[in-house]
Amino acid sequence: MRINKHLIIASLALLSTLFISSCEKDDDSQVSNNTGNATVKFNLTDAPASYDAVYIDVLEVKVHVSNSGDTSNADGWITLPNTQPGIYNLLDFQNGIDTLIASGDVPAGKVSQIRLILGPQNSVVVNGVSEPLKTPSAQQSGLKLKVNYTLQAGIVYEFWLDFDASRSIVAKGNGGYNLKPVIRVFTKNSTGSIDGYVSPIAAFSSVLAYNAAGDSASGMSDTASGYFLLSGLNPASYTVEFDPISPYMATDTMGVNVATGVVTHLDTIRIN
């Protein structure tokens, strides 16, 4: 029985973050004995969207590190010193392409939350016309991305911020667009990926992978090659659903197994 993809996407759009789980057990006694610094790196990537361009204005990235995980403690917030502020076109970073936006050394301990601080120069280009993206006032303190990860001293940790442009841009009824970011945070050492090609390329298919636990990731096939990549998936068996443009017909691939640190390659998906 086909799961309603649109229902899944509508539900996920209510969330702006997903949790990621550490490969290490969160243990307060372990953290308290863990002295020194760890290095964190944050890369920006995007699930493809059908716009000409999507620009976001990155100002800074903050992380909260503490033994308790209590984000109300202001002393735990650290602004990463090596942040690359600027206006980024999300559509430049699709299907496995990414860019480093922030890095730095932080005290070892529990990372419970990340904050991505955006400026006012956010916009979307639709049919050659640039439109400003209005960000809700509640997000002025930063986009809060919940994380559950324990940093050990002397280790480099690399995270990916998967900024889903397709779900994050909401058209207003009276014209214009709002930016309501949907961002997945993941590490490649605790998740896996699915990739492949859609044929014919002209089918330009959206791709959705989901499992019985409700984990999911979405993307679109590349307009030049038909390639797609879904990253940051928890190890499990997935159904991958392909929804091409008209007149092509949707199709599913079931029982796609994802393992930690592995890219599962699908045979070319041929769409009629």
Side-chain angles (χ1 to χ4, degrees):
M1 179 179 69
R2 177 185 293 271
I3 295 177
N4 189 318
K5 182 189 74 171
H6 301 290
L7 178 59
I8 293 174
I9 291 178
S11 299
L12 290 174
L14 298 176
L15 304 175
S16 63
T17 62
L18 294 176
F19 288 90
I20 61 174
S21 299
S22 172
C23 295
E24 305 288 341
K25 179 180 179 181
D26 278 340
D27 186 328
D28 287 337
S29 62
Q30 179 187 33
V31 173
S32 63
N33 294 324
N34 187 15
T35 58
N37 288 336
T39 300
V40 293
K41 296 181 177 181
F42 292 95
N43 301 286
L44 182 66
T45 187
D46 171 47
S50 55
Y51 299 104
D52 297 340
V54 178
Y55 296 104
I56 61 166
D57 184 7
V58 175
L59 296 183
E60 62 184 17
V61 177
K62 297 182 178 182
V63 296
H64 191 276
V65 183
S66 72
N67 286 340
S68 66
D70 181 8
T71 56
S72 64
N73 179 7
D75 293 338
W77 282 105
I78 301 168
T79 299
L80 294 182
N82 302 318
T83 299
Q84 306 296 321
I87 298 176
Y88 294 83
N89 180 8
L90 293 178
L91 304 193
D92 288 340
F93 310 109
Q94 302 178 6
N95 287 328
I97 300 174
D98 55 45
T99 187
L100 181 67
I101 60 171
S103 64
D105 292 338
V106 299
K110 290 183 179 179
V111 174
S112 54
Q113 193 177 98
I114 304 166
R115 283 187 181 175
L116 177 62
I117 314 297
L118 298 182
Q121 303 300 314
N122 305 293
S123 62
V124 59
V125 180
V126 182
N127 297 325
V129 178
S130 179
E131 299 277 359
L133 285 172
K134 296 183 179 179
T135 304
S137 58
Q139 296 175 358
Q140 291 179 353
S141 62
L143 307 176
K144 301 174 183 179
L145 313 177
K146 293 183 180 179
V147 178
N148 180 27
Y149 215 91
T150 299
L151 305 179
Q152 301 296 318
I155 297 178
V156 177
Y157 295 86
E158 196 160 11
F159 297 85
W160 277 261
L161 308 183
D162 185 359
F163 204 122
D164 194 330
S166 181
R167 300 182 192 178
S168 299
I169 298 173
V170 180
K172 297 190 296 182
N174 58 350
Y177 296 86
N178 283 334
L179 178 63
K180 295 184 178 180
V182 176
I183 303 174
R184 297 188 310 125
V185 184
F186 64 88
T187 63
K188 291 184 178 178
N189 66 338
S190 61
T191 61
S193 304
I194 299 171
D195 78 347
Y197 290 85
V198 170
S199 178
I201 297 172
F204 186 47
S205 179
S206 64
V207 186
L208 173 69
Y210 56 85
N211 64 21
D215 300 324
S216 69
S218 66
M220 299 185 78
S221 59
D222 183 73
T223 56
S225 66
Y227 179 73
F228 67 89
L229 172 68
L230 305 177
S231 300
L233 293 168
N234 292 322
S237 177
Y238 287 80
T239 293
V240 183
E241 188 171 295
F242 298 87
D243 189 5
I245 62 175
S246 179
Y248 299 98
M249 302 296 292
T251 187
D252 293 345
T253 299
M254 303 179 68
V256 179
N257 293 318
V258 172
T260 300
V262 175
V263 179
T264 300
H265 303 289
L266 298 184
D267 293 334
T268 297
I269 305 299
R270 303 191 181 282
I271 297 179
N272 297 318

